[in-house]
Amino acid sequence: SQTIHQWPATLVQPVGSPLSLECTVEGTSNPNLYWYRQAAGRGLQLLFYSVGIGQISSEVPQNLSASRPQDRQFILSSKKLLLSDSGFYLCAWMGLMNTEAFFGQGTRLTVV
Amino acid sequence: ELKVEQNPLFLSMQEGKNYTIYCNYSTTSDRLYWYRQDPGKSLESLFVLLSNGAVKQEGRLMASLDTKARLSTLHITAAVHDLSATYFCAPRTNAGKSTFGDGTTLTVKP
């Protein structure tokens, strides 16, 4: 069966520090991968999605970037965090039939 | 740009009662998802509605889709405390991306 791993679960980082969040998927090939951010009490905002290795689409201009170095690995990065980058970050994958998205456990990022 | 409006945003129910959550969206969508989120947790898929008139039921929850009205509903029957959570609808655009509503936070009281 397919599983999705996302880490770390929580992270507290100072303003101006770098960020790297990693997401890996098991049990499937060539998934569509997504990074979302959720502000407190709100829905999910799509940040990036990828349909294949090295293919990244950015949805909103921001202080973040994403990379997909391997088929089942998706990384969210920042060179210098801002206070406004705080939030709950969720990685998700969707198979070829696009029936539903499966989410990782999320990373709660607090920038101080 | 696809806009999604859920209502109500907050819902407090007595156990055993019925209620409906509404999800309106602004442009054409080829499918719609419903997710559940428990406090501090990730999202869990509940339903995928693939066509106009689609209806799916799981336990006390039933979801329907009217693509002509651009409306989906999530009906709760005889609510129980375990249903307390935040529910999100997410219609998908033809570009393959989903837009999420702000969620409906449901609290079921004894």
Side-chain angles (χ1 to χ4, degrees):
Chain A
S1 63
Q2 303 89 348
T3 57
I4 180 167
H5 302 281
Q6 186 183 343
W7 66 92
T10 59
L11 194 57
V12 180
Q13 292 284 101
V15 168
S17 65
L19 173 74
S20 181
L21 301 181
E22 188 164 343
C23 171
T24 59
V25 181
E26 296 178 0
T28 186
S29 297
N30 198 29
N32 291 341
L33 296 173
Y34 305 81
W35 277 111
Y36 290 91
R37 178 170 60 201
Q38 184 179 31
R42 301 297 303 274
L44 274 65
Q45 179 189 34
L46 180 61
L47 302 175
F48 301 95
Y49 72 97
S50 171
V51 298
I53 296 173
Q55 301 179 60
I56 307 294
S57 295
S58 174
E59 288 300 297
V60 292
Q62 60 209 322
N63 187 41
L64 302 168
S65 62
S67 62
R68 186 167 175 177
Q70 301 180 46
D71 180 43
R72 288 171 282 182
Q73 184 185 30
F74 204 22
I75 298 172
L76 181 69
S77 304
S78 173
K79 292 182 179 178
K80 289 185 177 182
L81 284 169
L82 306 172
L83 287 174
S84 57
D85 291 323
S86 294
F88 191 42
Y89 288 82
L90 289 154
C91 177
W93 77 271
M94 189 176 284
L96 289 176
M97 297 305 293
N98 289 330
T99 51
E100 61 190 310
F102 296 92
F103 286 84
Q105 291 307 297
T107 296
R108 192 163 304 280
L109 172 66
T110 305
V111 182
V112 296
Chain B
E1 180 187 347
L2 178 60
K3 295 189 185 299
V4 182
E5 184 177 312
Q6 279 183 244
N7 68 83
L9 296 181
F10 298 94
L11 176 57
S12 181
M13 298 176 61
Q14 293 290 122
E15 278 191 333
K17 298 293 186 181
N18 304 333
Y19 207 84
T20 300
I21 298 170
Y22 297 89
C23 172
N24 291 90
Y25 53 97
S26 61
T27 64
T28 301
S29 173
D30 64 345
R31 63 187 59 190
L32 187 140
Y33 306 92
W34 281 97
Y35 295 94
R36 168 181 172 146
Q37 185 178 36
D38 291 306
K41 303 294 185 181
S42 185
L43 274 71
E44 171 190 354
S45 177
L46 292 175
F47 301 108
V48 181
L49 301 169
L50 298 175
S51 61
N52 185 43
V55 177
K56 290 199 173 178
Q57 182 164 6
E58 180 72 34
R60 301 174 187 274
L61 299 177
M62 183 174 70
S64 66
L65 178 62
D66 182 341
T67 58
K68 294 179 181 178
R70 295 176 186 165
L71 170 69
S72 180
T73 61
L74 182 66
H75 186 73
I76 303 152
T77 301
V80 293
H81 179 71
D82 286 352
L83 290 180
S84 296
T86 299
Y87 294 86
F88 293 95
C89 68
R92 195 185 80 156
T93 66
N94 291 332
K97 297 173 286 185
S98 293
T99 298
F100 283 75
D102 280 342
T104 296
T105 298
L106 170 65
T107 303
V108 180
K109 299 181 177 180

